[in-house]
């Protein structure tokens, strides 16, 4: 099939926004006689005037040929999905060879059958993610109707959505992610397929689901994402304890905290809040609710030991009932942030600055989380300021002490 092509006059992509290292790779591949384009998320983001996160490249060059061109800066990775990572210092740009998917089979088994550039895009998930861009010719190349869908703001599966969701159920989560992020509508056939196939989500890999969820927490559209997951009746299949709370939208502490997190992450998309803090936005309300039920509603004030026990039992239950298990380290740090909230703002109401807390490893994250809670509850501003001052003093003292004690002389 001949693709539609759109030249500079048709679109508003500013070639200066393309990463210079990506341009360098494209240039070298072309000079060596290969076809090479930007593809996927970066083309989509350039067209909707957003800053692309990464610049993936698709090319006719085979992995070994890519390796020959970029030598020491090129690492071939992945067995099933062989692709090249080209390194520029800390930055990595992904270069993959055009390949064909197996669009009619049920589950994808082998991904390494090389293909044409057309085959390379029709194996992708949604039309908006299926465009190529050639920055030297200022040309967008469209085999899948992605151009029109981006301009009409529509999310549409490439191929039959029922088949595509069955092949890889994570695509359903990605659909909701793009809806949350861009506010695009979902095409009717794709929407019906989501309703029909939603239960298939539990056939996907828990690690991939967790990664998509964590990325969504960082995205600046987390509150909308979780809301859409509830509406699509998918959240309870993955995280039933969250959906129990989130189904009730009024006075919902999770949505409120996520909105605060979204605001922060929208302002600093390149350095989002840490994953433990973001996880605490989901879990702190669960712990708080449990403490209320167990103690406050019975006119009892829990002491710190009770808080620790409740925190760890709620998180244990969360881990046991969830489809994806949180990595140990993430749940440990998130628990510490949550438990420490009750040191910083004791339920007894008796506020005192205890210096032991300041030297705990998780204190800075816990303080940051308290600041987020204070954005929702002005009563927490006072304790936040007190702790923030104590923390500054503590840091100053640390610096002074360092200066008073010269480092030990090197041996030998
Ligand atoms: P983000 O902006 O969140 O990175 P993205 O669309 O760039 O979104 P990536 O995971 O970086 O997502 O994937 C890059 C590209 O690979 C996508 O744009 C899409 O073309 C393709 N892709 C990713 N996941 C799938 C999938 N599950 N099925 C088919 N194609 C996919
Ligand atoms: Mg991407």
């Amino acid at each position: 099939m001949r693709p539609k092509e759109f030249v500079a006059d048709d679109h508003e992509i500013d070639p200066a926004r393309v990463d210079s290292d990506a341009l360098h790779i494209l240039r070298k591949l072309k000079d060596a006689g290969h076809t090479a384009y930007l593809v996927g998320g970066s083309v989509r983001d350039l067209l909707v005037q957003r800053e692309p996160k990464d610049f993936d490249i698709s090319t006719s060059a085979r992995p070994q040929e890519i390796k020959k061109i970029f030598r020491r800066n090129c690492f071939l990775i992945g067995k099933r999905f062989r692709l090249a990572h080209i390194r520029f210092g800390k930055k990595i740009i992904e270069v993959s060879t055009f390949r064909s998917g197996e669009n009619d089979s049920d589950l994808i088994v082998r991904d390494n059958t090389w293909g044409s550039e057309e085959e390379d895009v029709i194996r992708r998930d949604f039309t908006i993610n299926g465009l190529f861009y050639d920055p030297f010719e200022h040309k967008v190349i469209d085999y899948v109707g992605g151009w029109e869908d981006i301009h009409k703001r529509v999310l549409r599966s490439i191929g039959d959505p029922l088949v595509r969701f069955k092949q890889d159920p994570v695509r359903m989560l990605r659909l909701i992610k793009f809806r949350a992020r861009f506010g695009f509508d979902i095409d009717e056939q794709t929407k019906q397929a989501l309703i029909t196939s939603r239960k298939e989500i539990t056939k996907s890999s828990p690690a991939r689901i967790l990664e998509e969820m964590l990325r969504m927490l960082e995205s600046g559209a987390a509150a909308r994402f979780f809301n859409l997951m509830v509406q699509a009746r998918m959240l309870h299949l993955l995280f039933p304890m969250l959906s129990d709370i989130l189904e009730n939208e009024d006075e919902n502490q999770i949505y409120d905290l996520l909105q605060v997190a979204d605001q922060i992450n929208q302002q600093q998309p390149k350095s989002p809040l840490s994953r433990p803090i973001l996880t605490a936005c989901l879990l702190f309300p669960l712990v708080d609710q449990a403490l209320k039920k167990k103690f406050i509603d019975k006119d009892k004030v829990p002491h710190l030991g009770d808080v620790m026990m409740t925190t760890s039992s709620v998180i244990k239950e969360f881990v046991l009932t969830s489809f994806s298990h949180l990595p140990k380290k993430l749940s440990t740090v998130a628990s510490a942030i949550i438990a420490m909230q009750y040191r910083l703002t004791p339920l007894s109401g008796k506020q005192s600055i205890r210096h032991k807390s300041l030297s705990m490893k998780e204190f800075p994250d816990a303080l940051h989380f308290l600041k987020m809670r204070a954005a929702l509850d002005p009563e927490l501003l006072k304790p936040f300021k007190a702790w923030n001052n104590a923390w500054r003093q503590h840091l100053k003292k640390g610096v002074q002490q360092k200066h008073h004690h010269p480092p030990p002389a090197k041996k030998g």
Side-chain angles (χ1 to χ4, degrees), residues 39-42 44-45 53-54 56 94 108 123-126 128-130 164 168 170-171 174 177-178 181-182 208 212 215:
V39 69
S42 65
R44 173 199 71 213
D45 290 347
K53 261 194 300 199
D54 33 38
D56 298 341
E94 241 176 60
I108 305 170
R123 72 182 171 85
R124 291 171 187 273
D125 50 3
F126 302 105
I128 63 164
N129 293 336
R164 304 309 309 281
D168 179 5
V170 175
R171 289 173 185 150
R174 288 176 52 85
K177 146 170 128 173
F178 295 122
R181 197 190 290 172
F182 300 120
R208 281 180 69 202
E212 288 287 355
R215 282 210 233 163

Side-chain angles (χ1 to χ4, degrees), residues 144-159:
V144 295
W147 172 275
E148 198 181 328
D149 285 340
I150 285 191
H151 291 86
K152 281 206 216 143
R153 302 170 56 81
V154 174
L155 297 165
R156 187 193 315 272
S157 235
I158 296 176

